[in-house]
Amino acid sequence: YSGSVCLDFPTCMGQWFPTLYGPIGLQVMHRFGAYTVSFIILVLFLWTLKLIAQNKLDRVFKVLSSRAILFVLSQVAIGIMNLKMQIPPWLTVIH
């Protein structure tokens, strides 16, 4: 439940780079990790689409990359909803 220390988004307690200690640090590192994974999946998705357009990859990769980006975007949306709804347990489990 370290998410309950930073209920605002995209900042944490009104700061873009708050402390990295204790529960606040845990939440900030979780968010930075999510930003990193989201960026990597987005780049891989776009790269896959480019290679498929050039007929250098099989279409199965398009399906896999589409599912990966859908999964990441749904986790981001669920995480934001978690904050906006003030951390309901049922949504926390899904996230």
Side-chain angles (χ1 to χ4, degrees), residues 2-87:
S2 66
S4 60
V5 298
C6 297
L7 291 177
D8 52 338
F9 179 81
T11 61
C12 179
M13 298 176 59
Q15 300 175 333
W16 285 100
F17 299 101
T19 182
L20 295 179
Y21 297 104
I24 295 172
L26 185 60
Q27 178 61 23
V28 170
M29 294 308 294
H30 174 78
R31 289 183 185 188
F32 286 163
Y35 299 151
T36 303
V37 169
S38 298
F39 178 75
I40 290 170
I41 294 294
L42 178 63
V43 168
L44 288 174
F45 175 73
L46 295 173
W47 183 53
T48 301
L49 291 180
K50 178 185 172 191
L51 291 177
I52 289 171
Q54 297 172 350
N55 290 324
K56 294 183 179 179
L57 273 182
D58 191 39
R59 295 222 178 260
V60 71
F61 289 101
K62 183 178 181 181
V63 172
L64 292 174
S65 64
S66 297
R67 288 181 182 171
I69 197 152
L70 181 64
F71 177 75
V72 167
L73 291 176
S74 66
Q75 281 298 307
V76 170
I78 291 169
I80 293 169
M81 286 177 10
N82 219 350
L83 294 174
K84 298 301 180 183
M85 297 174 70
Q86 297 184 348
I87 322 289

